[in-house]
Amino acid sequence: MSSKNLLSGAILVALASSFAADSSFATDLATYPNRTVTLTVGFGPGGPSDISARFLQKYFAEVTGQDLVIINKPGGGGALSWAEMNGLEPDGYALTLVSLPHIILQPIVTPGVGYAFEDITSVLMYTSVPQVLAVPIDSEIETLEDFIAMAREKPGQMTIAGTGSGGSNHSAHHLFDQAAGITTTYIPFRDTASTVAALKGGQTTAAWTWTTQGVVDGDLIRMLGIAADERMAVFPDLPTIKEQGVDMADQAWWTIGIPKSASEDVRRKVAEVLKEVMNHPQMSEDMLEAGYNPFIVDYDQLAEFKKDLFDLYVPVAEAIRN
Amino acid sequence: MDFFSYLVAAIQPSILIMMLAAVILGVVLGALPGLSSTFACAVMLPVTFTMTPVAALLFLGAIYMGSTYGGAFAAILLNTPGTPQSIATTFDGFPMAKRGDGDLALSIACLASVFGGLLGIVAFVALAPPLAQLALLFGPPEFFWLAIFGLTIIASLSKGNMTKGLLSGCIGLLLSLVGSAVVSGDTRFTFGVPALISGISIVPACIGLLCVPVVMDMALNAERYLSTKVDTGRNARLGEAIKILWAGKRNLLRSSLLGTGIGILPAAGGAIASLVAYSAAMRSSKDPESFGKGNPDGVIASESANNATVGSGLIPTFVLGIPGTPTDAVILGAMLIHGLQIGPKLFTNHVDTLMTFIVGLTISTLLLIPVGLLLGRYIYAFALNTPKRLLAPTVALMTIIGSFSIYNSHADVVVMMALGVFAWVIGRSGFPAAPIVLGLLLGPIAEEGFSQTVLIGGATNSTFSMFFGRGLSLAIIACIIVSLAAPTVISRLNAKKGTQNVVQG
Amino acid sequence: MLSKVDIPAVFISVIFAGIGFYVFVSAESFTRLGAIFPKFVAILLIALSLIAAFVGITRRDHLRPARIVPMRPVLIAVVMILWIAVLPKIGFVLSGIIAFLAIALVIPEATAPRTRTFVQTLIAAIVIVSSFYFLLRYGLNVPLPRGILGI
């Protein structure tokens, strides 16, 4: 009996001390990061935003010596992770992936989404991905011109797949139709995989998707135009939609966010470290090849950048809200 | 390069040991309720960063195959699918365990998983391109009808208690409505709680609906949790399992084929495959009444189908660049990060990697035999011999861990418990919990398919022909009709035969 | 013991029917497309509930269990609910050990409890809860809730 007591006592002491070593202390900025950093991604594993975060994960350990752990929290097209963001520890070790223009569109299109644009704080923008308008490879539509011509012939009859309702693809659809003066019908799908599957199977006439998808599917889909201001190196022959006469551009931008209550010092430190990771020589190459656009907007310029985007997208949100 | 060079490349000792470790890890992770294959692969992804691309693929593939089988452990012993792919294994696996045949069920599940897994891989190697094209034919109407077909299983499962079973199914459908709707964009039934925007996740729901009542009922009496019929001695009733598998070989083959077929559909995973195979097995059985009460054929059907999706899910993933199952999305991501070109280029530029991967996956599947049987025996002994006093809290702990870990969400734990108490209460009144799971799982697929078809049909003025005019849809509708009408027809035929026999003496 | 009316089933059916009505009415405020499914399910629910209630009242061959509400399973649920409530505040390990012991206490035993079994349970609680903690935190990188004591 007493030996059992001793045994339990010993176990308790051993465990207690190992737990004590575990507790968190206040952020020591000079040595940040000195333990594992978690990054919450509000989308499912394997999706475009998740993969962009995993590129970060890959080189984070090399650059900082600590692990970046990704926690997937899909829900509401990212809304869940952004609603919970400000409840996390503001010590710089609990980061959240924040997508634009999602955080602009969602609070307007979906009331009750649980957060407001002003409450979301980002420290660094690290990548952008332009959207593309694509058709199946065996479609009779060969160019953007053909697409617009067909849309004019049969208003509302062309179906365009996209991911989610009130998300990026939806806004691209709206902006394009508006700029080209046509009417097509938007068909929302659950996630990028389903959207692309529908496209390839010819279930819809066309689809709005991302350049990253274009990298994967090169031979099975035909991209008609890229919704960016400039062509991408990975697709030198793909003209922009602007080049082809329709004045619109629509991308997704991904930033790393931190709880609102994090101090200025913490924010800058995190931004600094992440920038270092992004500057890893291999990083740009990897991301470009995969169809991403490593695109850095530093902490100081970020607030204004977001404000400009906000002004741009509010009317879009109000238009697609039904 | 021919087959044997790939074999040699894959059988180096270091690779074999790595795969063995990964299979064991996969089985263990899959056995823990709540940790799905997708989660296991996503969590292990960073471990692969230091490996070569081929090794990374072999590692993840082994975890995938292992965890798909591992889900059967919890399904059989705790009525909780360890991974969503094992939902249908609970229907007959748990009753088998309760009546003392748990070790038999585990052995059957192991062998069936291996067979199904191998068949899925064979399908990939032999028929990837044509099957991929077939997958693309599935559009919104087909997914809608497929979901309806899955939902008819509710009717079949509720043989004794049709109204209550259907009611449970409706509750499941209602639960699936919570959250933001994909197609229409409405936010429904969230009651202002942000955590509900993503709806009710299937994993915490399964754990709550199926496992919590089991834990609560452990407190009903002082009897042992599981009894054993036969003193198993050393061999976990392997001989008996082999005999049963041989007797059920048609079921085994059919279920593996069904699993293979459903695995190629983008985003349709092992859960749907196991449900459809289970339903088909019940239809074709001479004794459909015994399904849901511990018929080994149910376990064979579910486990062979879900492991078949591992191999066949790779078809759309590698041929079309579209993930065949949620776990395939993680594998695709891993390939991207490791710099492997995916999509059609994979077959031209990276054939070597691909073939080594296939051989490795085959080896992992075969490794399931020793790993599964050994682990099964130990876990079964554990479940058998641990007093309920220690077993109940441990399982309760696992329910909380399982529902928390997948999305790092306390809210999910709350949902798990709420649904658990709910299921226990209505369960005491004869309302079964399994149909709730089915409604929750298939509801969104049905609604999305329906809404998308309405939108597309509306735009092109072809709504009716979209629902009822497409070849594939009609085939599925035919299956639905057969599935619903078959029991009545069969019993009428049997009655006729019975009278004939009587007449003939 | 045969009984006349399957009261619990009827009660539950009525509640389900009520839920059905609530869902149907709520669906009025959804978009046209988004209201189709809820309304359909609501109607189905109401219809089935009425049938079930009818059957429950008219078919008089129900067996009543010896006790309508068995105490101990409810106690287990209560312990788990409390556990989940305090989890974020006290942390995983501490709340886990306490809950482990509490649940073990509720499980009925054939033999009378002895101090030895209590100690055995305590050790099991500590070992099992900590093992899961370490497995998840360090093996799988899943941060579990930490409370005031940091664990």
Side-chain angles (χ1 to χ4, degrees), chain A residues 38-39 69 71 75 85 155 183 199 207 259 286 290 298:
Chain A
T38 61
L39 175 62
V69 169
I71 299 174
M85 217 173 117
T183 316
L199 173 69
D286 279 0
D298 208 347

Side-chain angles (χ1 to χ4, degrees), chain B residues 100-188:
Chain B
D101 285 328
D103 43 1
L104 183 62
L106 286 171
S107 302
I108 292 177
C110 182
L111 296 175
S113 294
V114 172
F115 185 88
L118 290 175
L119 198 75
I121 297 176
V122 166
F124 176 80
V125 173
L127 294 169
L131 284 179
Q133 293 309 312
L134 181 64
L136 284 181
L137 291 177
F138 266 75
E142 283 75 33
F143 279 108
F144 169 71
W145 287 119
L146 192 64
I148 299 290
F149 180 57
L151 288 170
T152 60
I153 301 178
I154 296 179
S156 332
L157 280 177
S158 323
K159 264 295 111 78
N161 217 330
M162 189 64 75
T163 327
K164 289 184 179 169
L166 290 175
L167 267 175
S168 290
C170 280
I171 296 290
L173 288 175
L174 274 188
L175 288 175
S176 77
L177 290 173
V178 175
S180 63
V182 170
V183 182
S184 60
D186 301 87
T187 315
R188 301 184 292 204

Side-chain angles (χ1 to χ4, degrees), chain B residues 28-39:
Chain B
V28 170
L29 286 178
L32 291 171
L35 304 188
S36 63
S37 306
T38 317
F39 176 79

Side-chain angles (χ1 to χ4, degrees), chain A:
Chain A
M1 272 292 273
S2 57
S3 62
K4 271 220 166 114
N5 277 342
L6 233 85
L7 183 59
S8 3
I11 294 180
L12 272 167
V13 169
L15 286 168
S17 39
S18 60
F19 286 134
D22 228 18
S23 329
S24 53
F25 297 97
T27 311
D28 181 4
L29 282 180
T31 61
Y32 175 90
N34 55 24
R35 54 188 167 86
T36 306
V37 179
T38 61
L39 175 62
T40 303
V41 173
F43 299 91
S49 39
D50 175 72
I51 295 187
S52 77
R54 295 201 186 260
F55 279 112
L56 270 181
Q57 184 185 45
K58 186 173 177 196
Y59 294 113
F60 191 88
E62 254 186 69
V63 170
T64 67
Q66 297 292 333
D67 287 329
L68 181 69
V69 169
I70 292 184
I71 299 174
N72 294 95
K73 250 198 164 169
L80 181 57
S81 64
W82 300 320
E84 298 190 342
M85 217 173 117
N86 287 329
L88 299 173
E89 286 288 316
D91 56 6
Y93 289 89
L95 308 173
T96 306
L97 181 84
V98 175
S99 328
L100 290 146
H102 303 65
I103 57 171
I104 304 173
L105 298 173
Q106 281 181 356
I108 299 178
V109 176
T110 319
V113 79
Y115 69 91
F117 172 76
E118 304 76 44
D119 293 334
I120 307 292
T121 317
S122 301
V123 297
L124 183 79
M125 180 173 286
Y126 70 103
T127 191
S128 74
V129 176
Q131 301 196 56
V132 292
L133 181 62
V135 293
I137 196 81
D138 53 4
S139 163
E140 47 184 0
I141 300 174
E142 304 259 342
T143 66
L144 199 62
E145 256 185 72
D146 294 341
F147 181 88
I148 298 179
M150 192 184 273
R152 294 222 170 98
E153 270 174 58
K154 321 186 211 169
Q157 285 183 44
M158 291 177 66
T159 51
I160 323 284
T163 308
S165 205
S168 251
N169 293 155
H170 198 172
S171 93
H173 171 261
H174 170 81
L175 285 171
F176 182 83
D177 277 11
Q178 202 180 52
I182 56 175
T183 316
T184 60
T185 309
Y186 179 71
I187 314 282
F189 283 81
R190 162 175 287 266
D191 50 28
T192 310
S194 313
T195 307
V196 175
L199 173 69
K200 289 180 174 167
Q203 309 293 341
T204 59
T205 325
W208 276 104
T209 183
W210 313 96
T211 48
T212 51
Q213 229 29 65
V215 169
V216 171
D217 302 323
D219 300 333
L220 289 165
I221 65 176
R222 179 183 302 138
M223 296 189 281
L224 299 176
I226 185 174
D229 293 322
E230 286 167 7
R231 298 194 181 197
M232 277 186 92
V234 67
F235 300 118
D237 300 322
L238 181 63
T240 67
I241 293 182
K242 280 194 178 164
E243 271 178 63
Q244 301 185 66
V246 180
D247 184 19
M248 89 35 94
D250 200 358
Q251 310 192 48
W253 294 265
W254 286 310
T255 72
I256 301 295
I258 201 170
K260 193 161 64 160
S261 52
S263 68
E264 275 290 308
D265 292 336
V266 168
R267 296 183 193 190
R268 284 180 191 285
K269 185 65 186 181
V270 174
E272 197 187 298
V273 169
L274 288 172
K275 217 166 29 147
E276 231 186 285
V277 176
M278 283 303 295
N279 285 334
H280 187 287
Q282 209 42 38
M283 176 71 93
S284 291
E285 213 183 293
D286 279 0
M287 289 189 90
L288 282 169
E289 248 184 65
Y292 295 91
N293 205 5
F295 177 72
I296 308 231
V297 175
D298 208 347
Y299 180 63
D300 290 313
Q301 286 85 36
L302 200 49
E304 203 185 311
F305 192 87
K306 286 169 74 175
K307 178 82 181 38
D308 289 341
L309 280 181
F310 183 78
D311 294 333
L312 204 57
Y313 277 97
V314 165
V316 179
E318 287 170 354
I320 62 182
R321 170 176 55 183
N322 53 4

